[in-house]
Amino acid sequence: MNAAVASAPSPVAAAAAAGSPSARIALLGTGTVGRAVLARLAAWEAAPDAAPPAALSLVHVANSRTGFRPDSAAGAVARAARTVAAGAAPSLDELPSRLGDDGVRIVLDATASDAVAERHAEWLARGLHVVTACKLGQGTSLARWRAIGRAQSAGATRYGDSATVGAGLPVLHAIRALRAGGDRIHAVAGVLSGSLAWLFHHYDGLRPFSGFVRQAREAGYTEPDPREDLSGEDVRRKLLILARSAGVALEAEAVAVDSLVPPALAALAPDAVDAALPQIDAPLRERYAAAWKRGEKLRFIARLEDGRARVGLEALAADHPLAGGTDNRVAIWSDRYRAQPLVIQGPGAGAGVTAAAMLDDALAIVAGARRG
Ligand SMILES: NC(=O)c1ccc[n+]([C@@H]2O[C@H](COP(=O)([O-])OP(=O)(O)OC[C@H]3O[C@@H](n4cnc5c(N)ncnc54)[C@H](OP(=O)(O)O)[C@@H]3O)[C@@H](O)[C@H]2O)c1
């Protein structure tokens, strides 16, 4: 792949990049993660000496309402982070032309949009690399996941997904590296939701669980509608991505999900949820008390074993590798790690680490394109 980029505007880290490989990037999404991506690019622009030895030239930024082309003057990325330009959102059809016809071109998907995820395969096949924090590309239907795999071969492109599971913790990397070395993955189990890890670390069985949910929502640890976390849906998508990477091509419906949201609460309109949250308290208090009597801890676990996948609450021995703290933790059993699993642990949520993982993937693509 040709790594040369001609006359790209907004040269991030231009000084550090003189004579070094470069790529044009388009950022979709200016929410929590998108803004963190812009902040990281702006920091590199402001301090070229501390920037990585490759240039990522931001040529297009869009949210669902508007899109704009950052200008080429100094401080362009910082300005882009502040800009809310008037005007209609560009169609996703226009994205390839915004990135130009040649050189290394990368779409950064920092949305939660199914319409954007649906385009990943098409862009890859057309020669655009894709880096995503959004799980809807690989964590939904098996057909879409397979299309993304085929499109990478067809377009000689790469798909950066480090931010989709564990917000950049090297979980997918470890699974792929083990398999590339001939290892077979036997099982994977993990705490994959930062918000649920926080909730079950702090829940003491004495105060109502719903109170902890409200506290977590106010601190920004859960989605504004906490049912999105409590339903296990986000964890289900992450487990699908892990399972498929581990060589188990599961259909989306094959994951058994034990939601914490009772049907009556699931059926309510968003503005009625807060008042009804105490519906979750009694069942969780009972499960907590039963676990506590056995010296166990409740944790929300995603598990892949014998080709079967399930997501839900488990009572674990207090010294179990997945039982402690608020971090994301993933245990991997394989031919190599048969008795003692390989455990990867660390902060697996938050905009800063997610944005860093996305830009790491983009830089790896630039480096790979140069070698190629
Ligand atoms: N937040 C985290 O810590 C975290 C961690 C790991 C992964 N993720 C994943 O990262 C993604 C972004 O999360 P977030 O927290 O940043 O979400 P967010 O704050 O809700 O931001 C989503 C952004 O996507 C934009 N968008 C929606 N449809 C679009 C379209 N068709 N074209 C361009 N932009 C579009 C939205 O535009 P409008 O503003 O116009 O609606 C908004 O700017 C999600 O998939 C999430 O699961 C998040």
Side-chain angles (χ1 to χ4, degrees), residues 62-220:
N63 53 33
S64 72
R65 294 156 286 132
T66 186
F68 56 95
R69 182 182 174 87
D71 60 53
S72 57
V77 175
R79 260 196 310 288
R82 292 193 299 268
T83 301
V84 180
S91 155
L92 293 173
D93 293 334
E94 295 167 24
L95 190 63
S97 66
R98 306 249 168 159
L99 278 161
D101 295 329
D102 57 8
V104 182
R105 295 155 290 159
I106 307 174
V107 181
L108 302 182
D109 179 358
T111 77
S113 162
D114 194 61
V116 174
E118 205 176 13
R119 298 293 186 110
H120 287 177
E122 174 199 323
W123 291 331
L124 288 162
R126 291 180 64 175
L128 308 183
H129 304 276
V130 175
V131 168
T132 185
C134 178
K135 292 167 279 293
L136 301 178
Q138 291 183 306
T140 52
S141 76
L142 191 56
R144 187 181 282 180
W145 178 75
R146 286 192 166 130
I148 286 171
R150 281 195 303 271
Q152 289 172 75
S153 307
T157 45
R158 287 174 62 186
Y159 193 71
D161 59 3
S162 306
T164 57
V165 181
L169 290 178
V171 179
L172 290 168
H173 178 82
I175 287 175
R176 289 177 183 139
L178 289 172
R179 294 189 70 214
D183 209 3
R184 284 172 308 167
I185 309 298
H186 302 178
V188 178
V191 172
L192 301 177
S193 159
S195 49
L196 291 171
W198 187 93
L199 284 167
F200 285 103
H201 180 67
H202 286 87
Y203 181 49
D204 54 11
L206 301 172
R207 292 168 288 171
F209 192 80
S210 55
F212 289 95
V213 174
R214 289 188 182 119
Q215 199 182 330
R217 185 184 53 201
E218 275 150 33

Side-chain angles (χ1 to χ4, degrees), residues 131-132 158-163 356-366:
V131 168
T132 185
R158 287 174 62 186
Y159 193 71
D161 59 3
S162 306
M358 292 182 78
L359 290 173
D360 286 356
D361 277 353
L363 292 167
I365 286 169
V366 180

Side-chain angles (χ1 to χ4, degrees), residues 219-230:
Y221 300 151
T222 70
E223 295 295 325
D225 183 340
R227 291 177 300 183
E228 290 180 30
D229 300 275
L230 299 170

